[in-house]
Amino acid sequence: MNEIKFQILENYKDNPPPIDFKKVIQILFNYIPVEYQAGLGFVILEDGTGMSRQQRHEVTLSRGKKYLVSECQGVYRHMDNNKPASIVMYVNNILTRMPLWAWKMPFFRDITIADVFYHEFGHHIHKVHSPEYKHREDVADRWSRRLRNRFVYHHYWYLLPILYPLAFIVRICKMLGKRR
């Protein structure tokens, strides 16, 4: 596996989360191709409760809409003034995506965290390694899908005989839902 070339900082003001996010991020990072790993300095895991008033009211744009950063699950901060690029993940907002019992199941835990981490890492790839002239959220989503599929294919290879038929059924249901 790859050696981690960035720091994972945990900044929890209240209680640490019931899941070891740092360990999951380390595992997820190992499945990112080496050519895209350069340039990321930090992954910061926060619970969001320690934000200053200015940070709580900071706004980010996504698909033409404004969102409070405090309500986001993650944010990519590009490199500036000799500070390396970083990804900030708001753990308390991520934990609301599933009930607590589902977080104890490794596959669901890893995929949920991978959605956020790989999306933000997709912004990093788009900004630093592979700029495209498309909407940045679309590019990040596409990279997120690619990286998540690579992770599942290599890390959860033994689930593929179950996941492929399931994905086929989900696709058919989505197509039938669009027809109505």
Side-chain angles (χ1 to χ4, degrees):
M1 289 290 165
N2 304 330
E3 179 186 325
I4 297 214
K5 299 173 182 76
F6 65 92
Q7 288 183 313
I8 300 174
L9 306 173
E10 295 178 294
N11 183 20
Y12 306 123
K13 185 173 182 196
D14 292 339
N15 298 323
I19 290 89
D20 189 358
F21 273 79
K22 186 174 184 176
K23 180 180 152 197
V24 175
I25 296 297
Q26 290 170 338
I27 292 168
L28 294 172
F29 185 77
N30 286 330
Y31 292 96
I32 296 173
V34 177
E35 62 266 20
Y36 298 122
Q37 294 176 2
L40 186 68
F42 301 99
V43 172
I44 303 165
L45 303 171
E46 292 187 357
D47 61 2
T49 57
M51 295 176 124
S52 68
R53 184 177 192 284
Q54 181 183 3
Q55 289 171 324
R56 279 194 314 272
H57 293 286
E58 188 179 352
V59 174
T60 186
L61 286 173
S62 175
R63 301 186 201 281
K65 289 179 145 185
K66 290 182 182 180
Y67 293 95
L68 289 174
V69 170
S70 60
E71 294 173 358
C72 295
Q73 295 174 10
V75 177
Y76 173 72
R77 308 252 186 232
H78 60 84
M79 190 172 19
D80 64 335
N81 296 338
N82 296 327
K83 289 182 357 188
S86 62
I87 293 173
V88 181
M89 295 178 66
Y90 297 104
V91 173
N92 57 334
N93 294 347
I94 296 170
L95 286 171
T96 61
R97 292 180 73 173
M98 292 190 308
L100 194 55
W101 62 266
W103 283 103
K104 298 191 187 319
M105 302 173 83
F107 177 76
F108 295 120
R109 176 199 64 210
D110 293 350
I111 291 301
T112 305
I113 296 172
D115 278 342
V116 179
F117 178 65
Y118 286 150
H119 176 85
E120 300 309 329
F121 205 90
H123 285 298
H124 175 67
I125 293 171
H126 181 222
K127 184 81 174 172
V128 176
H129 301 287
S130 180
E132 296 179 33
Y133 295 103
K134 295 182 180 167
H135 193 275
R136 63 183 183 177
E137 292 301 321
D138 294 337
V139 174
D141 286 342
R142 195 168 60 249
W143 276 109
S144 175
R145 237 183 342 272
R146 280 186 199 163
L147 295 171
R148 187 183 61 238
N149 290 346
R150 178 186 169 100
F151 168 71
V152 170
Y153 184 79
H154 291 289
H155 194 75
Y156 288 108
W157 57 268
Y158 53 89
L159 291 177
L160 293 178
I162 299 167
L163 293 175
Y164 277 128
L166 246 134
F168 180 72
I169 293 169
V170 167
R171 254 185 264 129
I172 288 174
C173 291
K174 282 183 180 179
M175 286 182 353
L176 291 175
K178 287 182 180 178
R179 284 186 177 176
R180 293 179 187 192

